[in-house]
Coordinates of all heavy atoms in Angstrom, one line a residue:
L1502 N 15.6 16.5 2.6 CA 16.5 16.9 3.8 C 17.8 17.5 3.2 O 18.7 16.6 2.6 CB 16.8 15.6 4.6 CG 17.7 15.8 5.9 CD1 16.9 16.4 6.9 CD2 18.2 14.4 6.4
Q1503 N 17.9 18.7 3.5 CA 19.2 19.3 3.0 C 20.1 19.3 4.2 O 19.8 19.7 5.3 CB 18.8 20.9 2.8 CG 20.1 21.7 2.5 CD 20.7 21.4 1.2 OE1 20.0 21.2 0.1 NE2 22.0 21.2 1.1
M1504 N 21.2 18.8 3.8 CA 22.4 18.6 4.8 C 23.5 19.2 4.5 O 24.2 19.1 3.5 CB 22.6 16.9 4.9 CG 21.5 16.0 5.1 SD 22.0 14.4 5.4 CE 22.5 13.9 3.8
N1505 N 24.0 20.2 5.4 CA 25.0 21.0 5.2 C 26.1 20.7 6.3 O 25.8 20.2 7.2 CB 24.7 22.5 5.2 CG 23.8 22.9 4.0 OD1 23.9 22.3 3.0 ND2 23.0 23.9 4.4
S1506 N 27.3 21.2 6.1 CA 28.4 21.0 7.0 C 28.6 19.6 7.6 O 28.6 19.4 8.7 CB 28.3 21.9 8.2 OG 28.3 23.3 7.7
L1507 N 28.4 18.7 6.6 CA 28.3 17.2 7.0 C 29.7 16.8 7.8 O 30.8 17.2 7.5 CB 28.2 16.3 5.8 CG 26.8 16.4 5.3 CD1 26.8 15.8 3.8 CD2 25.9 15.5 6.1
K1508 N 29.5 15.9 8.8 CA 30.5 15.4 9.6 C 30.6 13.7 9.4 O 29.6 13.3 9.1 CB 30.2 15.6 11.0 CG 30.0 17.2 11.4 CD 29.6 17.4 12.9 CE 29.5 18.8 13.2 NZ 29.1 19.1 14.5
P1509 N 31.7 13.3 9.8 CA 31.9 11.8 9.6 C 30.8 11.1 10.4 O 30.3 9.9 10.0 CB 33.3 11.5 10.2 CG 34.0 12.8 9.9 CD 33.1 13.9 10.0
E1510 N 30.3 11.6 11.6 CA 29.4 11.0 12.4 C 28.0 11.0 11.7 O 27.1 10.3 12.3 CB 29.2 11.6 13.8 CG 29.1 13.1 13.8 CD 30.5 13.8 14.0 OE1 31.4 13.4 13.4 OE2 30.4 14.7 14.8
D1511 N 27.7 11.7 10.7 CA 26.6 11.6 10.0 C 26.4 10.4 9.0 O 25.4 10.3 8.5 CB 26.4 13.0 9.2 CG 26.3 14.3 9.9 OD1 25.6 14.2 10.9 OD2 26.8 15.2 9.6
T1512 N 27.5 9.8 8.8 CA 27.5 8.6 8.0 C 26.5 7.5 8.4 O 26.5 7.1 9.5 CB 28.9 8.0 7.9 OG1 29.8 8.9 7.3 CG2 29.0 6.7 7.2
A1513 N 25.6 7.3 7.5 CA 24.5 6.2 7.9 C 23.7 6.1 6.6 O 23.8 6.7 5.6 CB 23.6 6.8 9.0
V1514 N 22.8 5.2 6.8 CA 21.7 4.9 5.8 C 20.5 5.8 6.3 O 20.1 5.6 7.5 CB 21.3 3.4 5.6 CG1 20.2 3.3 4.5 CG2 22.5 2.5 5.3
Y1515 N 20.1 6.6 5.4 CA 18.9 7.6 5.7 C 17.6 7.1 5.2 O 17.5 6.7 4.0 CB 19.3 8.9 5.3 CG 20.3 9.6 6.1 CD1 21.5 9.3 6.0 CD2 19.9 10.8 6.9 CE1 22.6 10.0 6.9 CE2 20.8 11.4 7.7 CZ 22.2 11.0 7.7 OH 23.0 11.6 8.4
Y1516 N 16.6 7.1 6.0 CA 15.3 6.6 5.6 C 14.3 7.9 5.9 O 14.5 8.5 6.8 CB 14.9 5.4 6.5 CG 15.8 4.3 6.4 CD1 16.9 4.2 7.3 CD2 15.5 3.2 5.4 CE1 17.7 3.0 7.1 CE2 16.4 2.1 5.3 CZ 17.5 2.0 6.3 OH 18.2 1.0 6.2
C1517 N 13.2 7.7 5.2 CA 12.0 8.6 5.4 C 10.9 7.7 5.9 O 10.8 6.7 5.6 CB 11.8 9.4 4.2 SG 11.2 8.6 2.9
N1518 N 10.0 8.3 6.7 CA 8.8 7.7 7.1 C 7.9 8.5 8.0 O 8.4 9.7 8.2 CB 9.1 6.3 7.9 CG 8.3 5.2 7.6 OD1 7.0 5.5 7.6 ND2 8.9 4.1 7.4
T1519 N 6.9 8.1 8.4 CA 5.9 8.9 9.2 C 6.4 9.2 10.6 O 7.4 8.3 11.0 CB 4.6 8.3 9.3 OG1 4.8 6.9 9.7 CG2 4.0 8.2 7.9
V1520 N 6.0 10.2 11.3 CA 6.4 10.4 12.7 C 5.0 10.7 13.5 O 4.3 11.5 13.0 CB 7.3 11.8 12.8 CG1 7.8 12.0 14.1 CG2 8.6 11.5 12.0
P1521 N 5.0 10.1 14.6 CA 5.9 9.1 15.3 C 5.7 7.7 14.5 O 4.8 7.4 13.8 CB 5.4 9.0 16.7 CG 3.9 9.3 16.5 CD 3.8 10.3 15.4
L1522 N 6.6 6.8 15.0 CA 6.5 5.5 14.5 C 5.7 4.7 15.5 O 5.8 4.8 16.7 CB 8.0 4.8 14.5 CG 8.9 5.5 13.5 CD1 10.4 4.8 13.7 CD2 8.4 5.2 12.1
L1523 N 4.7 3.8 14.9 CA 3.8 3.0 15.6 C 4.3 1.5 15.6 O 3.6 0.7 16.5 CB 2.5 3.2 15.0 CG 1.9 4.5 15.1 CD1 0.5 4.4 14.6 CD2 1.9 5.2 16.5
G1524 N 5.1 1.1 14.8 CA 5.7 -0.2 14.9 C 5.3 -1.0 13.6 O 5.9 -2.2 13.5
N1525 N 4.3 -0.6 12.9 CA 4.0 -1.4 11.8 C 4.2 -0.7 10.5 O 3.7 -1.2 9.4 CB 2.5 -1.6 11.9 CG 1.5 -0.3 11.8 OD1 2.2 0.8 12.0 ND2 0.3 -0.4 11.8

Side-chain angles (χ1 to χ4, degrees):
L1502 187 67
Q1503 177 66 45
M1504 305 185 296
N1505 299 325
S1506 302
L1507 283 163
K1508 304 175 180 180
E1510 54 261 45
D1511 296 318
T1512 296
V1514 178
Y1515 283 72
Y1516 303 88
C1517 63
N1518 220 313
T1519 53
V1520 178
L1522 297 172
L1523 301 179
N1525 61 351

